[in-house]
């Protein structure tokens, strides 16, 4: 099972979440991870994948410009129906609690629906998601540092557990489709 994780990250927060998602997916037998920053990713690679997980920092409640530009290059895959029935999932980071996590996740899901992908989210019964998660994907908050000399507020263990849960759920969903 091939899982492609593509992400945009500016300060390392989103990359850490993407790595946790990869770790969760890898925990499921027979899962191969293709882990790429958008600058290293080619849209045509997606046609060979079984699942695609993409994510970015939320910018004013929506997709980062870099990931949006990358998504906008999926037109040929759309025209040829190359992503129909692929499993899809999304993730994001924001700097504030009300920084638009859910609106960013929904904006990330929309192109997947246009591609005919099958969306996997996180139900509330998953312990990592029960208290503060979102059903649309993995969304976390890494607060802005109060002092520029402070160490960065990177994702917590709880945040990373949410990412691992999403990656594992995507891979387990692929297994169910294969059986």
């Amino acid at each position: 099972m091939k899982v492609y994780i593509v992400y945009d990250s500016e300060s390392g927060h989103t990359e850490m979440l993407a790595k946790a998602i990869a770790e969760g997916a890898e925990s499921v037998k027979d899962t191969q991870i293709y882990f790429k920053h958008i600058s290293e990713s080619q849209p045509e690679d997606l046609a060979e994948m079984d699942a695609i997980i993409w994510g970015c920092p939320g910018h004013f409640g929506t997709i980062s410009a870099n990931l949006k530009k990358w998504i906008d290059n999926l037109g040929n895959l759309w025209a040829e129906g190359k992503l129909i029935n692929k499993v899809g999932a999304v993730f994001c980071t924001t700097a504030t609690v009300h920084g638009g996590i859910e609106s960013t996740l929904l904006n990330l899901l929309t192109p997947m629906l246009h591609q005919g992908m099958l969306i996997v989210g996180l139900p509330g019964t998953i312990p990592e998601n029960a208290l503060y998660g979102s059903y649309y994907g993995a969304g976390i908050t890494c607060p802005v540092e109060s002092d520029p000399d402070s160490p960065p507020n990177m994702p917590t263990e709880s945040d990373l557990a949410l990412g691992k849960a999403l990656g594992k759920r995507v891979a387990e969903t692929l297994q169910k489709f294969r059986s």
Side-chain angles (χ1 to χ4, degrees):
M1 300 181 301
K2 296 179 182 178
V3 177
Y4 198 91
I5 300 170
V6 61
Y7 67 95
D8 184 18
S9 186
E10 296 157 3
S11 302
H13 304 93
T14 311
E15 181 177 12
M16 278 185 74
L17 181 57
K19 286 179 179 177
I21 293 166
E23 188 178 331
E26 280 180 320
S27 74
V28 176
K29 186 180 178 197
D30 297 327
T31 304
Q32 294 176 283
I33 302 299
Y34 298 81
F35 188 82
K36 302 278 186 173
H37 184 274
I38 54 169
S39 65
E40 304 166 340
S41 176
Q42 300 300 317
E44 56 271 11
D45 294 342
L46 301 182
E48 303 304 317
M49 299 299 132
D50 299 305
I52 301 156
I53 307 170
W54 62 48
C56 65
H59 287 187
F60 305 106
T62 194
I63 305 170
S64 68
N66 291 332
L67 185 59
K68 177 67 170 90
K69 181 179 177 185
W70 184 87
I71 289 170
D72 286 345
N73 287 318
L74 301 178
N76 287 342
L77 294 173
W78 172 82
E80 297 171 13
K82 297 281 187 174
L83 303 184
I84 292 173
N85 294 331
K86 306 244 184 230
V87 171
V90 298
F91 61 98
C92 74
T93 60
T94 62
T96 61
V97 174
H98 299 289
I101 286 175
E102 287 195 338
S103 61
T104 301
L105 292 172
L106 289 168
N107 282 308
L108 287 165
L109 288 172
T110 302
M112 289 183 166
L113 293 167
H114 280 254
Q115 292 284 352
M117 295 173 67
L118 307 171
I119 305 301
V120 172
L122 286 171
T125 54
I126 292 177
E128 296 83 2
N129 201 39
L131 294 177
Y132 68 96
S134 170
Y135 306 108
Y136 311 118
I140 64 168
T141 301
C142 299
V144 174
E145 293 73 22
S146 57
D147 179 339
D149 296 324
S150 298
N153 290 319
M154 299 310 274
T156 65
E157 285 303 314
S158 294
D159 295 334
L160 298 177
L162 191 64
K164 289 175 190 174
L166 180 65
K168 183 177 180 184
R169 183 160 158 77
V170 167
E172 288 175 341
T173 300
L174 279 175
Q175 270 188 336
K176 287 180 182 180
F177 283 138
R178 290 191 146 205
S179 39

